[in-house]
Each structure stands twice: as C-alpha cells, then as structure tokens.
Amino acid sequence: MKRFFETLQHIFSIEELRTRILNTLLFITIFRLGSYVALPGVEPDQMNVSAQGLLGLLDTFLGGAFSKASIFALGIMPYISASIAIQLLTMALPYFQKMQKEGESGRKKLNQITRVLTILVTLVQGTAYLNTTVPDEALLVSRNLFSISSVFVLTAGTMFCMWLGERITDKGIGNGISMLIMIGIVSRFPGAIYKEFVSRGSGQILLFVLEIVALYFVIMGAVMLTQAVRRIPIQYAKQVVGNRVMGGQRQYLPLKLNAAGVMPIIFAQALMFIPSLGASYFAEKSDFASNIATIFANYTTWQYNLLFAFLIIVFTFFYTAISVNPQQIADDMKRGGGFIPGVKPGQQTSEYISTILDRITFPGALMLAIVAILPAFASLLGISTDFAHFFGGTSLLIMVGVVLDTLQQVESYLLMRRYEGLMKSGRVKGRTESVAI
C-alpha cells in the first residue's frame, strides 16, 4: 500500500502528466453528463430498448445513453463505423493505399474523408434509431417534428463526442476514442455488481464471492490473450557509415496471438441477426422458420453460440490476413538490412512469417471465440444479464486493451523522469507494441 501511494505521488509530481490526467477527467465528465441530457420532445422513462442483441451491446458501449434517448445516444459509434469502412477501403483500393503512403498530408485527407463519412453514417443511423427504438408513447411532440430536429441533434452530439475523443488524445492521456467507449462500459459496472449482489441476497453471499473470483480469472485470461506475442528473432547486418559501424544487433518481430483485436467479434455480432431476422419473415408460414427465429433470438442457445464462435474464427483469419502483410514486412526487413537467422531474405522470409502467423492465429481465434461466448455460459449459470456481459465479449476486451494502453502511457512518463514503473516487477505492455523492422 505504501508503494501505491508513492506511485500516485510520483504521478502527480510530474506537471505534464498531472495536467493530462486532469484534462482527461474533465473531458470524461463532460461526456458522462451529456449522456443524461435527453433529446428535446421525448420522455426517457417511456423508452424500451432490449438488453439483448445489438441494441443491448450498443447501450453497453454508450453507458446507457442509447436507452435514455440522450443527445449522445449514438456516441462515437458512427465514427467507429466510418473508420472501419475507411480502413477496409485502404486495404482494398489503390487510391486509398496511395493516400495512406503520402505521409502526414495523406493522413489528413483520410481523416477528413472519415469525418464526412461519419456525418453521413450518423444521419442514416440517427434516422433508423429514432424510427425503431423511440415509441410514439414516449414522444411529447409530433413524430415529424421530433424526427427532423433530433437527427440534427444526434449528428451534433456525435461530432461533439468525436471532438472530445480527439481532445483526450491531444491534451489528455491519449487513445481518446477508445477511452470514451471504455468509460461507457465501465459506468455500468458498479450498477451491474449491485444488482447481482441484491439478486443473490444474504443467503448466497458465498456464491456472489465465487462469481467475483471467476470474473478475476476471466479478466486475467483476457489480459493474456491481449498481451501474448510470438517473437521472431531478427538479425541486422553490420554496416559501415563513415567511421562508425552501425547495426549488428538482434531485435524481435512481435506477432500478436490476437492480431485482429475485437473486430471479429463486432463483425460476427452484426451477422448474428441475419438468421433470426430472415426466419421471422417466414415464421407464420413455416414451423421450421419459427423455430430458427426463436433459437437465434436467444444468445444462450448452443446453436447461436456455435455459429457465433465459427464466425469469429473465420473473421479472425480474414482480418488478420488483411491487416498483417508478411510480404511487406519481409521487404521492409530486406531494405533495412535485417534477416531472420536460417531464413533467406525475400520470398522465403515472407513464407516463413506467413506460416508462423497461420499457426498462432488459430489458437488466438479459438481463445477469442471462447471469450466471446462466456457471457452466454454466465447467463445459463444464473448470473444476471447485466453482470454476465462483463464475463467476456467485446466489452471485456475493450476494457482490458484500453486500460493496458493507459497504464503504458503513464509508465512511460514515470520512466522518462527516472521513477520506477507502476509494477514492482516487469513492465506494462499495451497493444501498441511497435514492429521491430
């Protein structure tokens, strides 16, 4: 405990770090206060958003703002959708690839395109949100007036959330967009624990304690999944530059066990509504279609989880293949005078990296699928739905990843000022490990 307070003292003794932490807390406070401001013309108590499926997932990400018809009801999710679309276009279209290679000017163009696309996505999602989740009994004004005014308010709220995320990145600890998502998730954690504790009652305290212990080990497993890397040794040849000998040292190429992050879960979650939605159109004419709609409307059925896990494994391989380019890594190593011991530079290096990547992607995808379906098992064991969401899935992985990145940022400031790190032994390693090429 003494070491903990000493670490806090060191953190706040660094003026720049102290200012960044206070700025981050200020921006987060503004974000949370905005999630309680309801849209003009709606009664939030009359809202009825399902706690399951995509709507429940969005409400978890946004800290309850989605179900409250807040001005931040869409949060920064349209920006995330636009960023994913631009990222996929960058990997698929030569025009965007060329723009990405233009350096700072190219990144500014991509950011501007992302912002414009965010506005368009917000207009579409805002219209769908107002028409599908806001019932007529919750309105205090006419539907047309409410829809027109609220679309502009939701768009302004999304852009303001995006601005807050950028300010956290520039003036705060960093990683602002992910930080806002994490805060929305964490804001529901105390309430979920309290509901679970009340539901267990005084006669099941031991069971509640076992649930907390199980959650601890699940979090540790998620940390291991996020941190795990396969390090490939790289030897750099010695080069004579003037009167100095450069190179000759050994570095490592870290290939992450889960290079795709949470994207496979997000993609798979979006597709899991297709079977239920498609079968619901034929439910009245066919008993088989009715059974399919019922099965895939419940996220705790074994059919739902089997398909969900399969899609996650497939998307993990797909996203890893488009995000990690072994040929480009091999070419960069060759230009930098680096090589893998025992492997010829060029095509053989690319094939070697690709082989290792395939071998580590499958266990990573399998572990990611297990983490994704853990909330279903938690619900089947009697844990409340709100608390079960923290036992796995996208929420847990986002929280773990953002916390690790934030701790890494704080530790870098401490080490620069020659203080000890946050941990008594070892170093905090986040998701932003650079490739040694």
Side-chain angles (χ1 to χ4, degrees):
M1 185 62 68
K2 179 181 178 181
R3 177 179 171 79
F4 173 75
F5 287 109
E6 288 179 352
T7 302
L8 289 180
Q9 183 180 0
H10 293 161
I11 290 175
F12 283 93
S13 65
I14 303 174
E15 182 179 358
E16 182 182 0
L17 181 57
R18 180 176 67 249
T19 302
R20 287 183 174 273
I21 292 176
L22 294 178
N23 287 339
T24 301
L25 294 177
L26 174 62
F27 294 137
I28 288 175
T29 302
I30 295 174
F31 175 71
R32 290 303 302 152
L33 289 176
S35 64
Y36 289 93
V37 180
L39 290 169
V42 67
E43 179 59 48
D45 295 337
Q46 299 296 325
M47 293 287 294
N48 184 21
V49 177
S50 174
Q52 298 183 7
L54 183 60
L55 298 183
L57 183 65
L58 289 175
D59 197 37
T60 301
F61 286 168
L62 299 171
F66 192 86
S67 60
K68 298 172 185 173
S70 163
I71 59 175
F72 292 167
L74 299 181
I76 45 94
M77 300 312 296
Y79 176 75
I80 298 296
S81 302
S83 299
I84 294 174
I86 295 298
Q87 185 179 5
L88 294 176
L89 290 175
T90 302
M91 298 174 182
L93 299 181
Y95 174 77
F96 287 93
Q97 292 176 358
K98 181 180 177 181
M99 193 180 301
Q100 188 182 37
K101 296 178 181 179
E102 291 178 355
E104 186 64 25
S105 61
R107 284 191 293 270
K108 288 182 178 180
K109 293 179 183 178
L110 286 176
N111 289 335
Q112 191 64 26
I113 295 175
T114 303
R115 291 187 178 95
V116 174
L117 185 59
T118 299
I119 296 177
L120 299 178
V121 172
T122 306
L123 293 175
V124 175
Q125 291 186 356
T127 303
Y129 168 75
L130 297 172
N131 292 333
T132 58
T133 62
V134 181
D136 292 335
E137 55 269 20
L139 297 181
L140 303 177
V141 295
S142 65
R143 167 67 69 174
N144 292 334
L145 177 62
F146 172 76
S147 298
I148 295 174
S149 62
S150 296
V151 165
F152 289 101
V153 173
L154 289 174
T155 304
T158 295
M159 301 308 293
F160 184 73
C161 290
M162 188 175 66
W163 180 83
L164 286 177
E166 292 176 350
R167 296 286 72 77
I168 293 176
T169 301
D170 296 336
K171 305 294 184 181
I173 295 297
N175 209 9
I177 300 299
S178 299
M179 180 75 71
L180 293 182
I181 298 178
M182 186 202 71
I183 293 300
I185 297 172
V186 172
S187 65
R188 309 198 71 178
F189 188 61
I193 291 182
Y194 177 75
K195 289 181 181 179
E196 181 66 18
F197 177 77
V198 172
S199 65
R200 291 303 179 186
S202 59
Q204 296 180 324
I205 297 298
L206 180 59
L207 187 59
F208 175 76
V209 173
L210 292 177
E211 291 175 0
I212 298 298
V213 173
L215 179 61
Y216 171 79
F217 284 105
V218 169
I219 293 175
M220 292 300 102
V223 172
M224 294 173 60
L225 176 62
T226 304
Q227 298 280 67
V229 294
R230 168 68 160 84
R231 299 201 307 172
I232 300 177
I234 301 176
Q235 184 70 39
Y236 283 88
K238 293 183 179 180
Q239 298 177 357
V240 179
V241 181
N243 295 326
R244 301 177 59 186
V245 178
M246 307 293 292
Q249 71 262 12
R250 171 168 290 194
Q251 296 184 7
Y252 293 92
L253 172 67
L255 296 179
K256 297 184 70 65
L257 182 67
N258 179 27
V262 299
M263 296 307 301
I265 300 180
I266 295 176
F267 288 153
Q269 188 78 55
L271 292 181
M272 285 307 298
F273 295 92
I274 295 179
S276 177
L277 185 63
S280 62
Y281 288 105
F282 305 97
E284 297 181 357
K285 300 179 181 180
S286 172
D287 293 337
F288 177 76
S290 178
N291 292 332
I292 292 296
T294 303
I295 289 173
F296 285 96
N298 184 3
Y299 77 103
T300 60
T301 60
W302 68 268
Q303 296 94 334
Y304 180 99
N305 286 279
L306 182 62
L307 179 60
F308 190 32
F310 174 76
L311 289 176
I312 289 174
I313 294 175
V314 171
F315 279 121
T316 301
F317 276 94
F318 169 75
Y319 200 82
T320 301
I322 64 176
S323 59
V324 182
N325 189 346
Q327 185 63 51
Q328 182 179 355
I329 295 175
D331 293 341
D332 293 341
M333 287 172 50
K334 187 176 181 180
R335 283 194 297 266
F339 62 93
I340 300 174
V343 182
K344 291 183 179 181
Q347 185 62 31
Q348 290 190 14
T349 297
S350 174
E351 294 175 355
Y352 180 80
I353 295 175
S354 180
T355 301
I356 293 180
L357 195 62
D358 291 339
R359 290 176 179 176
I360 65 175
T361 298
F362 179 72
L366 191 61
M367 292 179 64
L368 188 64
I370 293 174
V371 170
I373 65 177
L374 278 179
F377 287 97
S379 296
L380 292 175
L381 293 175
I383 299 176
S384 61
T385 303
D386 292 339
F387 191 46
H389 281 310
F390 290 95
F391 276 81
T394 314
S395 303
L396 179 62
L397 293 175
I398 289 177
M399 286 192 300
V400 168
V402 175
V403 168
L404 289 174
D405 279 349
T406 304
L407 292 178
Q408 187 185 33
Q409 293 284 343
V410 174
E411 186 176 50
S412 65
Y413 278 98
L414 293 175
L415 295 176
M416 279 192 302
R417 298 303 179 95
R418 299 184 179 179
Y419 289 119
E420 295 183 2
L422 293 172
M423 309 296 292
K424 186 174 182 180
S425 61
R427 293 286 304 279
V428 178
K429 298 179 181 180
R431 296 175 296 171
T432 56
E433 291 186 76
S434 58
V435 178
I437 55 176

